[in-house]
Each structure stands twice: as C-alpha cells, then as structure tokens.
Coordinates of all heavy atoms in Angstrom, one line a residue:
R1313 N 104.2 71.2 -33.3 CA 103.3 70.8 -32.1 C 103.1 72.0 -31.2 O 103.9 72.8 -31.0 CB 104.1 69.7 -31.4 CG 104.0 68.4 -32.1 CD 104.3 67.2 -31.2 NE 105.8 67.2 -30.9 CZ 106.3 66.1 -30.3 NH1 105.6 65.2 -30.0 NH2 107.6 66.2 -30.0
G1314 N 101.9 72.0 -30.7 CA 101.5 73.0 -29.7 C 102.2 72.7 -28.3 O 102.8 71.6 -28.1
K1315 N 102.3 73.7 -27.5 CA 103.0 73.6 -26.2 C 102.0 74.0 -25.1 O 101.3 74.9 -25.3 CB 104.2 74.3 -26.1 CG 105.4 73.8 -27.0 CD 106.6 74.5 -26.7 CE 107.8 73.9 -27.4 NZ 109.1 74.3 -27.0
M1316 N 102.1 73.2 -24.0 CA 101.2 73.5 -22.9 C 102.2 73.7 -21.7 O 103.2 73.0 -21.6 CB 100.3 72.3 -22.6 CG 99.3 72.5 -21.6 SD 98.3 71.1 -21.4 CE 98.8 70.5 -19.8
S1317 N 101.8 74.6 -20.9 CA 102.7 74.9 -19.7 C 102.2 73.9 -18.5 O 101.1 73.9 -18.3 CB 102.7 76.3 -19.3 OG 103.5 76.5 -18.1
L1318 N 103.2 73.3 -17.9 CA 102.9 72.4 -16.8 C 104.0 72.7 -15.7 O 105.2 72.6 -16.0 CB 102.9 71.0 -17.2 CG 102.6 70.0 -16.1 CD1 101.2 70.1 -15.5 CD2 102.8 68.5 -16.6
T1319 N 103.6 73.1 -14.6 CA 104.5 73.3 -13.5 C 104.5 72.1 -12.5 O 103.5 71.7 -12.0 CB 104.2 74.6 -12.7 OG1 104.1 75.6 -13.7 CG2 105.2 75.0 -11.6
I1320 N 105.7 71.6 -12.2 CA 105.9 70.5 -11.3 C 107.0 70.8 -10.3 O 107.8 71.7 -10.6 CB 106.2 69.1 -12.0 CG1 107.5 69.2 -12.8 CG2 105.1 68.8 -12.9 CD1 108.0 67.9 -13.3
T1321 N 106.9 70.2 -9.2 CA 107.9 70.4 -8.2 C 108.8 69.1 -8.1 O 108.3 68.0 -8.0 CB 107.3 70.6 -6.8 OG1 106.5 71.7 -6.9 CG2 108.3 70.9 -5.8
I1322 N 110.1 69.3 -8.2 CA 111.1 68.2 -8.2 C 112.1 68.5 -7.1 O 112.6 69.6 -7.0 CB 111.8 68.1 -9.6 CG1 110.7 67.9 -10.7 CG2 112.7 67.0 -9.6 CD1 111.3 67.8 -12.1
Q1323 N 112.4 67.4 -6.5 CA 113.4 67.5 -5.3 C 114.8 68.0 -5.9 O 115.2 67.7 -7.0 CB 113.7 66.2 -4.7 CG 112.4 65.6 -4.1 CD 112.6 64.1 -3.6 OE1 113.6 63.5 -4.0 NE2 111.6 63.7 -2.8
D1324 N 115.5 68.8 -5.1 CA 116.7 69.4 -5.5 C 117.8 68.4 -6.0 O 118.3 68.7 -7.1 CB 117.3 70.3 -4.3 CG 116.5 71.4 -3.9 OD1 115.7 71.9 -4.8 OD2 116.7 71.9 -2.8
D1325 N 118.0 67.3 -5.4 CA 118.9 66.4 -5.8 C 118.6 65.8 -7.2 O 119.5 65.5 -8.0 CB 119.2 65.3 -4.8 CG 117.9 64.5 -4.4 OD1 116.8 65.0 -4.6 OD2 118.1 63.3 -4.1
L1326 N 117.3 65.7 -7.5 CA 116.9 65.1 -8.7 C 117.1 66.2 -9.8 O 117.5 65.8 -10.9 CB 115.4 64.7 -8.7 CG 114.9 64.0 -9.9 CD1 115.7 62.7 -10.3 CD2 113.4 63.5 -9.7
V1327 N 116.9 67.5 -9.5 CA 117.1 68.5 -10.5 C 118.5 68.6 -10.8 O 118.9 68.7 -12.1 CB 116.7 69.9 -9.8 CG1 117.0 71.0 -10.8 CG2 115.1 69.9 -9.7
E1328 N 119.4 68.3 -9.9 CA 120.9 68.4 -10.2 C 121.2 67.2 -11.2 O 122.0 67.4 -12.1 CB 121.7 68.3 -9.0 CG 121.6 69.6 -8.1 CD 121.9 70.9 -8.9 OE1 122.9 70.9 -9.6 OE2 121.1 71.8 -8.8
K1329 N 120.6 66.0 -10.8 CA 120.9 64.9 -11.7 C 120.4 65.1 -13.1 O 121.0 64.8 -14.1 CB 120.2 63.6 -11.2 CG 120.9 63.1 -9.9 CD 120.0 61.8 -9.4 CE 120.7 61.4 -8.0 NZ 119.9 60.4 -7.4
I1330 N 119.2 65.7 -13.2 CA 118.6 66.0 -14.5 C 119.5 66.9 -15.4 O 119.8 66.7 -16.5 CB 117.2 66.6 -14.3 CG1 116.2 65.5 -13.9 CG2 116.7 67.2 -15.7 CD1 114.9 66.0 -13.4
K1331 N 119.9 68.0 -14.7 CA 120.8 69.0 -15.3 C 122.1 68.3 -15.8 O 122.5 68.6 -17.0 CB 121.1 70.1 -14.4 CG 119.9 71.1 -14.2 CD 120.3 72.2 -13.2 CE 119.2 73.1 -13.0 NZ 119.5 74.2 -12.1
K1332 N 122.6 67.5 -15.0 CA 123.9 66.8 -15.3 C 123.7 65.9 -16.5 O 124.5 65.9 -17.5 CB 124.5 66.0 -14.2 CG 125.8 65.5 -14.3 CD 126.3 64.8 -13.1 CE 127.7 64.2 -13.4 NZ 128.1 63.1 -12.7
I1333 N 122.6 65.0 -16.4 CA 122.4 64.1 -17.6 C 122.1 64.8 -18.9 O 122.5 64.5 -19.9 CB 121.3 63.1 -17.2 CG1 121.7 62.3 -16.1 CG2 120.8 62.4 -18.3 CD1 122.7 61.2 -16.5
A1334 N 121.3 65.9 -18.7 CA 120.9 66.7 -19.9 C 122.1 67.3 -20.6 O 122.3 67.2 -21.9 CB 119.9 67.8 -19.5
E1335 N 123.0 67.8 -19.8 CA 124.3 68.4 -20.3 C 125.1 67.3 -21.1 O 125.6 67.4 -22.1 CB 125.1 69.1 -19.2 CG 126.1 69.9 -19.7 CD 126.9 70.6 -18.6 OE1 126.2 71.3 -17.8 OE2 128.1 70.5 -18.5
E1336 N 125.3 66.1 -20.3 CA 126.1 65.0 -20.8 C 125.5 64.4 -22.0 O 126.2 64.0 -22.9 CB 126.3 64.0 -19.7 CG 127.2 64.4 -18.6 CD 127.2 63.3 -17.5 OE1 126.5 62.3 -17.5 OE2 127.9 63.7 -16.4
G1337 N 124.1 64.4 -22.1 CA 123.5 63.7 -23.3 C 123.3 64.6 -24.4 O 122.7 64.2 -25.5
G1338 N 123.8 65.9 -24.4 CA 123.7 66.8 -25.5 C 122.4 67.4 -25.7 O 122.0 67.9 -26.8
F1339 N 121.6 67.5 -24.7 CA 120.3 68.2 -24.8 C 120.6 69.7 -24.6 O 121.4 70.1 -24.0 CB 119.3 67.7 -23.7 CG 118.9 66.2 -23.8 CD1 119.7 65.2 -23.3 CD2 117.8 66.0 -24.7 CE1 119.2 63.9 -23.5 CE2 117.4 64.6 -24.9 CZ 118.1 63.6 -24.3
E1340 N 119.6 70.4 -25.3 CA 119.8 71.9 -25.2 C 119.6 72.4 -23.8 O 120.3 73.3 -23.3 CB 118.6 72.5 -26.0 CG 118.7 72.2 -27.5 CD 119.2 73.4 -28.3 OE1 119.1 74.6 -27.8 OE2 119.7 73.2 -29.4
N1341 N 118.7 71.8 -23.0 CA 118.5 72.2 -21.6 C 117.7 71.1 -20.9 O 117.3 70.1 -21.5 CB 117.6 73.4 -21.6 CG 116.4 73.4 -22.5 OD1 115.6 72.4 -22.4 ND2 116.1 74.5 -23.2
A1342 N 117.5 71.3 -19.6 CA 116.8 70.2 -18.8 C 115.4 70.0 -19.3 O 114.9 68.8 -19.3 CB 116.8 70.7 -17.3
E1343 N 114.7 71.0 -19.8 CA 113.3 70.9 -20.2 C 113.3 69.9 -21.5 O 112.4 69.1 -21.5 CB 112.8 72.3 -20.7 CG 111.3 72.2 -20.9 CD 110.8 73.6 -21.3 OE1 110.9 74.5 -20.4 OE2 110.3 73.9 -22.3
E1344 N 114.3 70.0 -22.3 CA 114.3 69.2 -23.5 C 114.5 67.7 -23.1 O 113.9 66.8 -23.6 CB 115.4 69.6 -24.5 CG 115.4 68.8 -25.7 CD 116.6 69.3 -26.6 OE1 116.5 70.3 -27.3 OE2 117.6 68.6 -26.7
F1345 N 115.4 67.6 -22.1 CA 115.7 66.2 -21.6 C 114.5 65.6 -21.0 O 114.1 64.5 -21.2 CB 116.8 66.2 -20.6 CG 117.0 64.9 -19.8 CD1 117.5 63.8 -20.5 CD2 116.4 64.8 -18.6 CE1 117.6 62.6 -19.8 CE2 116.5 63.6 -17.9 CZ 117.1 62.5 -18.5
I1346 N 113.7 66.5 -20.1 CA 112.5 65.9 -19.4 C 111.5 65.6 -20.4 O 110.9 64.5 -20.2 CB 112.1 67.0 -18.4 CG1 113.1 67.1 -17.2 CG2 110.7 66.7 -17.9 CD1 112.8 68.3 -16.3
S1347 N 111.3 66.3 -21.5 CA 110.3 66.0 -22.5 C 110.6 64.7 -23.1 O 109.8 63.8 -23.3 CB 110.2 67.2 -23.6 OG 109.6 68.3 -23.0
A1348 N 111.9 64.5 -23.5 CA 112.3 63.3 -24.1 C 112.1 62.1 -23.2 O 111.7 61.0 -23.6 CB 113.8 63.4 -24.6
A1349 N 112.5 62.2 -21.9 CA 112.3 61.2 -20.9 C 110.8 60.8 -20.7 O 110.5 59.6 -20.7 CB 113.0 61.6 -19.6
I1350 N 110.0 61.8 -20.7 CA 108.5 61.5 -20.6 C 108.1 60.8 -21.7 O 107.3 59.8 -21.7 CB 107.8 62.8 -20.3 CG1 108.2 63.3 -18.9 CG2 106.3 62.6 -20.5 CD1 107.6 64.7 -18.6
E1351 N 108.4 61.2 -23.0 CA 108.0 60.5 -24.2 C 108.4 59.1 -24.2 O 107.7 58.1 -24.5 CB 108.5 61.2 -25.5 CG 107.8 62.5 -25.8 CD 108.2 63.1 -27.1 OE1 108.7 62.4 -28.0 OE2 108.1 64.3 -27.2
Q1352 N 109.7 58.8 -23.7 CA 110.2 57.5 -23.6 C 109.4 56.6 -22.7 O 109.0 55.5 -22.9 CB 111.7 57.4 -23.2 CG 112.4 56.1 -23.3 CD 112.5 55.5 -24.6 OE1 112.6 56.1 -25.6 NE2 112.3 54.2 -24.7
K1353 N 109.0 57.2 -21.5 CA 108.3 56.5 -20.5 C 106.9 56.2 -21.0 O 106.4 55.2 -20.7 CB 108.2 57.3 -19.2 CG 107.6 56.6 -18.1 CD 108.5 55.3 -17.7 CE 107.9 54.6 -16.6 NZ 108.6 53.4 -16.2
L1354 N 106.2 57.1 -21.7 CA 104.9 56.9 -22.2 C 105.0 55.8 -23.3 O 104.1 55.0 -23.3 CB 104.4 58.2 -22.9 CG 104.1 59.3 -22.0 CD1 103.7 60.6 -22.7 CD2 103.0 59.0 -21.0
L1355 N 106.0 55.7 -24.1 CA 106.1 54.6 -25.0 C 106.3 53.3 -24.3 O 105.7 52.3 -24.7 CB 107.4 54.9 -25.9 CG 107.7 53.9 -27.1 CD1 106.4 53.9 -28.0 CD2 108.9 54.3 -27.8
E1356 N 107.1 53.2 -23.3 CA 107.3 52.0 -22.4 C 105.9 51.6 -21.8 O 105.6 50.4 -21.9 CB 108.1 52.3 -21.1 CG 109.6 52.1 -21.4 CD 110.4 52.4 -20.1 OE1 109.9 52.0 -19.0 OE2 111.4 53.0 -20.3
I1357 N 105.1 52.5 -21.3 CA 103.8 52.2 -20.8 C 102.9 51.6 -21.8 O 102.2 50.6 -21.7 CB 103.2 53.4 -20.1 CG1 104.0 53.7 -18.8 CG2 101.7 53.2 -19.7 CD1 103.7 55.1 -18.2
K1358 N 102.9 52.2 -23.0 CA 102.1 51.8 -24.2 C 102.5 50.3 -24.5 O 101.6 49.5 -24.8 CB 102.3 52.7 -25.4 CG 101.3 52.8 -26.4 CD 101.5 53.8 -27.4 CE 100.5 54.1 -28.4 NZ 100.7 55.1 -29.3
K1359 N 103.8 50.1 -24.6 CA 104.3 48.7 -24.9 C 103.8 47.7 -23.9 O 103.4 46.6 -24.2 CB 105.8 48.7 -25.0 CG 106.3 49.2 -26.2 CD 107.8 49.1 -26.3 CE 108.5 49.7 -27.5 NZ 109.9 49.6 -27.5
E1360 N 103.9 48.1 -22.6 CA 103.4 47.2 -21.5 C 102.0 46.9 -21.6 O 101.6 45.7 -21.5 CB 103.7 47.9 -20.1 CG 105.0 47.7 -19.5 CD 105.1 48.3 -18.2 OE1 104.2 48.4 -17.4 OE2 106.2 48.8 -17.8
K1361 N 101.1 47.9 -21.9 CA 99.7 47.6 -22.1 C 99.5 46.7 -23.3 O 98.6 45.8 -23.2 CB 99.0 48.9 -22.5 CG 98.7 49.8 -21.2 CD 97.9 51.0 -21.7 CE 97.6 51.9 -20.5 NZ 96.8 53.0 -20.8
F1362 N 100.3 46.8 -24.4 CA 100.2 45.9 -25.5 C 100.5 44.5 -25.1 O 99.9 43.6 -25.5 CB 101.0 46.4 -26.7 CG 101.1 45.5 -27.8 CD1 100.1 45.4 -28.7 CD2 102.2 44.7 -28.0 CE1 100.1 44.5 -29.8 CE2 102.2 43.8 -29.1 CZ 101.2 43.7 -30.0
Y1363 N 101.6 44.3 -24.4 CA 102.0 43.0 -24.0 C 101.0 42.4 -23.1 O 100.8 41.2 -23.1 CB 103.4 43.0 -23.3 CG 104.6 43.3 -24.3 CD1 105.6 44.3 -24.0 CD2 104.6 42.8 -25.6 CE1 106.6 44.6 -24.8 CE2 105.5 43.1 -26.5 CZ 106.6 44.0 -26.1 OH 107.5 44.3 -27.0
H1364 N 100.4 43.2 -22.2 CA 99.4 42.6 -21.3 C 98.2 42.1 -22.1 O 97.6 41.0 -21.9 CB 98.9 43.7 -20.3 CG 99.8 43.9 -19.1 ND1 100.2 42.8 -18.3 CD2 100.5 45.0 -18.8 CE1 101.1 43.3 -17.4 NE2 101.2 44.6 -17.7
L1365 N 97.8 42.9 -23.2 CA 96.8 42.6 -24.0 C 97.1 41.3 -24.8 O 96.2 40.4 -24.9 CB 96.5 43.7 -25.1 CG 95.4 43.4 -26.1 CD1 94.0 43.2 -25.5 CD2 95.3 44.5 -27.1
T1366 N 98.3 41.1 -25.3 CA 98.7 39.9 -26.0 C 98.7 38.7 -25.1 O 98.3 37.6 -25.5 CB 100.0 40.1 -26.8 OG1 101.0 40.5 -25.9 CG2 99.9 41.1 -27.9
D1367 N 99.1 38.9 -23.8 CA 99.0 37.9 -22.9 C 97.7 37.4 -22.6 O 97.4 36.2 -22.5 CB 99.7 38.3 -21.5 CG 101.2 38.5 -21.6 OD1 101.8 37.9 -22.6 OD2 101.8 39.0 -20.7
D1368 N 96.7 38.4 -22.5 CA 95.3 38.0 -22.3 C 94.8 37.3 -23.5 O 94.0 36.3 -23.3 CB 94.4 39.3 -22.1 CG 94.7 40.0 -20.8 OD1 95.3 39.4 -19.9 OD2 94.3 41.2 -20.6
I1369 N 95.1 37.7 -24.7 CA 94.7 37.0 -26.0 C 95.2 35.6 -25.9 O 94.5 34.6 -26.2 CB 95.1 37.7 -27.2 CG1 94.3 39.1 -27.3 CG2 94.9 36.9 -28.5 CD1 94.9 40.1 -28.3
R1370 N 96.6 35.4 -25.7 CA 97.2 34.1 -25.6 C 96.5 33.2 -24.5 O 96.1 32.1 -24.8 CB 98.7 34.2 -25.2 CG 99.3 32.9 -25.1 CD 100.9 32.9 -24.7 NE 101.6 33.6 -25.8 CZ 102.2 34.8 -25.7 NH1 102.1 35.5 -24.6 NH2 102.9 35.3 -26.7
A1371 N 96.1 33.8 -23.4 CA 95.5 33.0 -22.4 C 94.1 32.5 -22.9 O 93.7 31.4 -22.7 CB 95.3 33.8 -21.1
G1372 N 93.4 33.4 -23.5 CA 92.1 33.1 -24.1 C 92.2 32.0 -25.1 O 91.3 31.0 -25.2
I1373 N 93.2 32.1 -26.0 CA 93.5 31.0 -27.0 C 93.7 29.7 -26.4 O 93.1 28.7 -26.8 CB 94.5 31.4 -28.0 CG1 94.1 32.6 -28.9 CG2 95.0 30.3 -28.9 CD1 95.2 33.3 -29.6
E1374 N 94.6 29.7 -25.4 CA 95.0 28.4 -24.7 C 93.8 27.9 -24.0 O 93.7 26.7 -23.9 CB 96.2 28.7 -23.9 CG 97.4 28.9 -24.7 CD 98.6 29.4 -23.9 OE1 98.5 29.7 -22.7 OE2 99.7 29.5 -24.5
K1375 N 93.0 28.8 -23.4 CA 91.8 28.3 -22.7 C 90.8 27.5 -23.6 O 90.1 26.6 -23.2 CB 91.1 29.5 -22.1 CG 89.9 29.1 -21.1 CD 89.5 30.5 -20.5 CE 88.3 30.1 -19.5 NZ 87.7 31.3 -18.9
Q1376 N 90.8 27.9 -24.9 CA 90.0 27.2 -25.9 C 90.6 25.9 -26.4 O 90.0 25.2 -27.2 CB 89.7 28.2 -27.1 CG 89.0 29.4 -26.8 CD 87.6 29.2 -26.3 OE1 86.9 28.3 -26.8 NE2 87.2 29.9 -25.3
G1377 N 91.8 25.7 -25.9 CA 92.5 24.4 -26.3 C 93.4 24.5 -27.5 O 93.8 23.5 -28.0
Y1378 N 93.7 25.7 -27.9 CA 94.6 25.9 -29.0 C 96.0 26.4 -28.5 O 96.1 27.0 -27.4 CB 94.1 26.9 -30.0 CG 92.8 26.4 -30.7 CD1 91.6 26.9 -30.2 CD2 92.8 25.5 -31.7 CE1 90.4 26.5 -30.8 CE2 91.6 25.0 -32.2 CZ 90.4 25.5 -31.8 OH 89.3 25.1 -32.3
T1379 N 97.0 26.3 -29.3 CA 98.2 27.0 -29.0 C 98.3 28.3 -30.0 O 97.7 28.2 -31.0 CB 99.5 26.2 -29.3 OG1 99.6 25.8 -30.7 CG2 99.4 24.9 -28.5
V1380 N 99.1 29.2 -29.6 CA 99.3 30.4 -30.4 C 99.8 30.0 -31.7 O 99.4 30.5 -32.8 CB 100.1 31.4 -29.7 CG1 100.5 32.6 -30.6 CG2 99.5 32.0 -28.4
T1381 N 100.7 29.1 -31.8 CA 101.3 28.5 -33.1 C 100.2 28.0 -34.0 O 100.3 28.2 -35.2 CB 102.4 27.5 -32.8 OG1 103.3 28.1 -31.8 CG2 103.2 27.1 -34.0
Q1382 N 99.3 27.2 -33.4 CA 98.2 26.7 -34.2 C 97.4 27.8 -34.8 O 97.0 27.6 -36.0 CB 97.3 25.7 -33.3 CG 98.0 24.5 -33.0 CD 97.1 23.7 -32.0 OE1 96.6 24.2 -31.0 NE2 96.9 22.4 -32.2
I1383 N 97.2 28.8 -34.1 CA 96.3 29.9 -34.6 C 97.1 30.6 -35.7 O 96.5 30.9 -36.8 CB 96.0 30.9 -33.5 CG1 95.1 30.2 -32.3 CG2 95.3 32.1 -34.0 CD1 93.8 29.7 -32.7
I1384 N 98.4 30.9 -35.5 CA 99.1 31.5 -36.5 C 99.2 30.7 -37.8 O 99.0 31.2 -38.9 CB 100.6 31.9 -36.0 CG1 100.5 32.9 -34.9 CG2 101.5 32.3 -37.1 CD1 101.8 33.2 -34.1
D1385 N 99.4 29.4 -37.6 CA 99.4 28.5 -38.8 C 98.2 28.6 -39.6 O 98.1 28.5 -40.8 CB 99.7 27.1 -38.3 CG 101.2 26.8 -37.9 OD1 102.0 27.7 -38.1 OD2 101.5 25.8 -37.2
E1386 N 97.1 28.6 -38.8 CA 95.7 28.6 -39.4 C 95.5 29.9 -40.2 O 95.0 29.9 -41.3 CB 94.6 28.4 -38.4 CG 93.2 28.4 -38.9 CD 92.9 27.2 -39.8 OE1 93.7 26.3 -40.0 OE2 91.8 27.2 -40.4
I1387 N 95.9 31.0 -39.6 CA 95.8 32.3 -40.2 C 96.7 32.3 -41.5 O 96.1 32.8 -42.6 CB 96.3 33.5 -39.3 CG1 95.3 33.6 -38.2 CG2 96.4 34.8 -40.1 CD1 95.8 34.5 -37.1
E1388 N 97.8 31.8 -41.5 CA 98.7 31.7 -42.7 C 98.1 30.8 -43.8 O 98.1 31.1 -45.0 CB 100.1 31.2 -42.3 CG 100.9 32.2 -41.5 CD 101.2 33.5 -42.3 OE1 101.5 33.4 -43.6 OE2 101.0 34.5 -41.7
R1389 N 97.5 29.7 -43.3 CA 96.8 28.8 -44.2 C 95.7 29.5 -45.0 O 95.5 29.5 -46.2 CB 96.4 27.6 -43.5 CG 95.7 26.5 -44.5 CD 95.1 25.3 -43.8 NE 93.9 25.7 -43.1 CZ 92.8 25.9 -43.7 NH1 92.6 25.8 -45.0 NH2 91.7 26.2 -43.0
L1390 N 94.8 30.2 -44.2 CA 93.7 30.9 -44.8 C 94.1 32.1 -45.7 O 93.5 32.3 -46.7 CB 92.8 31.5 -43.6 CG 92.0 30.4 -42.8 CD1 91.4 31.0 -41.6 CD2 91.0 29.7 -43.7
R1391 N 95.2 32.8 -45.3 CA 95.8 33.8 -46.2 C 96.2 33.3 -47.5 O 96.0 33.8 -48.6 CB 96.9 34.6 -45.5 CG 96.4 35.7 -44.7 CD 97.6 36.5 -44.1 NE 98.8 36.4 -44.8 CZ 100.0 37.1 -44.6 NH1 100.0 37.8 -43.5 NH2 101.0 36.9 -45.3
H1392 N 96.9 32.2 -47.4 CA 97.5 31.5 -48.6 C 96.4 31.0 -49.5 O 96.4 31.3 -50.7 CB 98.4 30.3 -48.2 CG 99.1 29.7 -49.3 ND1 100.2 30.3 -49.9 CD2 98.9 28.5 -49.9 CE1 100.6 29.5 -50.8 NE2 99.9 28.4 -50.9
E1393 N 95.4 30.4 -48.9 CA 94.2 30.0 -49.6 C 93.5 31.2 -50.3 O 93.1 31.0 -51.5 CB 93.2 29.3 -48.6 CG 92.3 28.3 -49.2 CD 91.5 27.6 -48.0 OE1 90.4 28.2 -47.6 OE2 91.9 26.6 -47.5
D1394 N 93.3 32.3 -49.6 CA 92.6 33.4 -50.1 C 93.3 34.0 -51.2 O 92.7 34.4 -52.2 CB 92.5 34.5 -48.9 CG 91.6 35.6 -49.4 OD1 90.5 35.4 -49.9 OD2 92.0 36.8 -49.2
H1395 N 94.7 34.1 -51.2 CA 95.5 34.6 -52.3 C 95.3 33.8 -53.6 O 95.4 34.3 -54.8 CB 97.0 34.7 -51.9 CG 97.3 35.8 -51.0 ND1 97.4 37.2 -51.6 CD2 97.5 35.9 -49.7 CE1 97.6 37.9 -50.5 NE2 97.7 37.3 -49.4
H1396 N 95.2 32.5 -53.5 CA 95.1 31.6 -54.6 C 93.7 31.4 -55.2 O 93.5 30.9 -56.3 CB 95.7 30.2 -54.3 CG 97.2 30.3 -54.0 ND1 98.1 30.6 -55.1 CD2 98.0 30.2 -52.9 CE1 99.3 30.5 -54.7 NE2 99.3 30.4 -53.3
S1397 N 92.7 31.8 -54.4 CA 91.3 31.7 -54.9 C 90.9 32.9 -55.7 O 89.8 32.9 -56.4 CB 90.4 31.4 -53.7 OG 90.3 32.6 -52.8
G1398 N 91.6 34.0 -55.6 CA 91.3 35.3 -56.2 C 91.8 35.4 -57.6 O 91.3 35.7 -58.6

C-alpha cells in the first residue's frame, strides 16, 4: 500500500497514553498503533452507517404494513420457488 504523510498535533498527555498503549500492545511504534486505531474507527463508522441504512429500510418496510420477518420469509419462498423451477 502507498503511504501519505499527514502531520497532526496531539496533546502531550494523549501522546504519552498512545506511546504506553502501543508498547503494551506489542506495536512496533506509536505510528503503527495510531494507524491500527484509525482503521478500527473507520470500520466502526462504516458499520454505524450500515446499521442506520438497515434501520431506514426496516422503517420503510414497516410503513408499508409489513414486518421484516414477513419480507425475509417472502424472499426465502421466492428463492426456493426459483431453485425448483429451473
């Protein structure tokens, strides 16, 4: 993977915490820990967006008078039907 340089300013007390956790966690250095922490945070945000989307879909389904279970059952029925008609 390519690397890009990004300079940020972090409070001294947080830098000390990062160094300590990086060392305790077996990371090569603070930079490696920060990269891993950012990747983890980005994944969390991505999951949150997905859950918001599924909540919106659920609300839309329920607004139409269906339950999510009914929709899943219908999808399964159609899939089952499709497999046996081919």
Side-chain angles (χ1 to χ4, degrees):
R1313 283 195 288 193
K1315 288 190 175 191
M1316 184 178 115
S1317 180
L1318 176 67
T1319 303
I1320 60 171
T1321 303
I1322 301 175
Q1323 297 169 348
D1324 291 342
D1325 59 333
L1326 186 55
V1327 170
E1328 290 310 311
K1329 289 177 185 175
I1330 289 169
K1331 287 179 180 177
K1332 186 176 183 213
I1333 292 292
E1335 193 177 304
E1336 289 173 1
F1339 291 91
E1340 296 252 340
N1341 52 42
E1343 188 176 300
E1344 186 183 282
F1345 168 76
I1346 291 169
S1347 290
I1350 290 171
E1351 282 185 32
Q1352 184 65 36
K1353 188 62 180 177
L1354 290 173
L1355 185 59
E1356 268 179 46
I1357 291 169
K1358 203 174 187 179
K1359 283 181 184 177
E1360 272 182 35
K1361 283 184 176 182
F1362 174 76
Y1363 291 135
H1364 285 300
L1365 177 63
T1366 55
D1367 286 346
D1368 290 347
I1369 292 169
R1370 178 181 294 113
I1373 289 168
E1374 290 169 354
K1375 191 176 178 182
Q1376 297 296 319
Y1378 298 101
T1379 65
V1380 173
T1381 306
Q1382 285 173 314
I1383 299 295
I1384 291 170
D1385 290 347
E1386 181 66 7
I1387 291 168
E1388 287 302 315
R1389 185 186 70 75
L1390 292 171
R1391 268 187 28 182
H1392 187 71
E1393 204 175 85
D1394 190 46
H1395 283 282
H1396 290 291
S1397 65

